[in-house]
Amino acid sequence: MIKQIKYFQAVVSHKSFTDAAEECFISQSAMSQQIQALERGLGVKLLDRKNRKFSLTPAGEYFYKKSLVITADYDRLCSETVRIANKDNAELRIGYLKCYGGQEFRLAVAEFSEKYPDVSVHIINGNHEYLYDALRNGRVDLILNDQRRAFSDEYVNLILTAKECYIEIAARNPLASLESVETEDLKNIPCILTASSEQQENEKTYYQEVVGIKGEFIFAENLEEARTLVISGKGFMPIEGGENESGFAANLRRILFTRNGKAMKRNYCAFWKADNSGYYIEDFADILKSKFSN
């Protein structure tokens, strides 16, 4: 009956037996027969047919709305059953912000891997747009990213923390003695960003128009390369993750980033598709959230 229900949903969604049949790869006559068989099985009329047009009966309208919930639950039940049965092949694909300097993500991965040693964890990193694209196109299951867009109902948007923004600068730079630094103070110092060649323009635009950085930009492929440039005095780097961690490099300083005397803040979130809330995804998100709460 599940297949018949999905046929019925396709007919209602497309408002056409012909279009529904094409979507389901069956003939129009077979589609009509399946809907009739569903009505006989239920013992009720779901559609009022008139010539080549149809409308939902009150029972059909009720059945359609409730069936969408049932089939969604059924699809998830099937996928989770397969995931459990194939636990040796289970995997979790995660993406995290390339310039994020906090240790929460690493700690979460370590705890998850200890809890689920049979789950293969695949990790990518990138800037905001790269991660968003990877999640949207199904290349990852969950991402740790900063919030630059309004939240969408298509995704689960779990706010992990709202942190003050900092910059990293060489310890020998005179600005390193300050407790905070304004965007205006940095206009004559190059801003070092981590971004692939494809995403450099997006990152530059964001930091110019949203953050308010006015000077020159230098790009690095990864966090390590960017820090090497900072240490060598080539510029400063906006850093994700907050204040200095234990074991932070002695030749670097993190300074609070302010605008008009107020600390700039940014939300960091775990994002995953609302229709892909698998057990491992939610469990990793809970672990990650706990690291930010410590």
Side-chain angles (χ1 to χ4, degrees), residues 53-250:
K53 296 183 179 181
F54 67 85
S55 61
L56 285 168
T57 65
E61 185 173 351
Y62 172 83
F63 185 82
Y64 174 68
K65 291 178 180 178
K66 292 297 182 181
S67 72
L68 294 174
V69 177
I70 292 172
T71 52
D73 288 343
Y74 175 80
D75 289 343
R76 182 175 177 183
L77 170 64
C78 291
S79 64
E80 288 302 301
T81 300
V82 172
R83 187 195 297 268
I84 293 170
N86 297 327
K87 65 179 181 179
D88 292 338
N89 299 320
E91 67 175 8
L92 179 65
R93 302 166 301 164
I94 314 168
Y96 73 95
L97 203 59
K98 180 181 287 189
C99 56
Y100 186 79
Q103 61 182 346
E104 295 89 352
F105 179 80
R106 297 191 298 273
L107 293 174
V109 171
E111 182 175 325
F112 179 86
S113 296
E114 184 176 354
K115 185 175 181 180
Y116 300 105
D118 294 327
V119 178
S120 178
V121 178
H122 300 279
I123 300 172
I124 66 169
N125 62 35
N127 66 356
H128 176 93
E129 291 301 320
Y130 177 83
L131 293 176
Y132 173 72
D133 184 68
L135 180 62
R136 184 183 57 192
N137 292 303
R139 299 197 302 275
V140 291
D141 300 308
L142 175 148
I143 58 173
L144 164 60
N145 210 354
D146 56 345
Q147 182 190 358
R148 297 187 187 179
R149 292 177 168 85
F151 287 147
S152 167
D153 291 339
E154 292 183 34
Y155 302 92
V156 177
N157 312 282
L158 176 64
I159 297 177
L160 300 168
T161 187
K163 284 197 172 186
E164 295 174 333
C165 298
Y166 288 75
I167 67 161
E168 286 184 1
I169 199 165
R172 67 178 183 275
N173 189 297
L175 291 178
S177 61
L178 298 175
E179 292 185 0
S180 63
V181 63
E182 288 273 323
T183 53
E184 183 67 19
D185 300 331
L186 299 167
K187 64 182 180 181
N188 296 318
I189 305 174
C191 175
I192 299 169
L193 300 176
T194 57
S196 64
S197 57
E198 296 83 1
Q199 293 299 330
Q200 287 178 7
E201 195 59 35
N202 284 336
E203 287 297 282
K204 179 180 177 180
T205 299
Y206 173 77
Y207 278 93
Q208 283 179 327
E209 297 182 0
V210 179
V211 179
I213 294 175
K214 305 300 183 184
E216 178 188 352
F217 289 85
I218 299 174
F219 293 95
E221 282 293 323
N222 53 58
L223 191 58
E224 291 70 24
E225 180 186 344
R227 279 193 169 134
T228 299
L229 291 172
V230 174
I231 290 171
S232 62
K234 301 298 183 182
F236 74 94
M237 176 174 63
I239 190 70
E240 320 286 349
E243 297 178 86
N244 295 357
E245 305 165 28
S246 59
F248 190 72

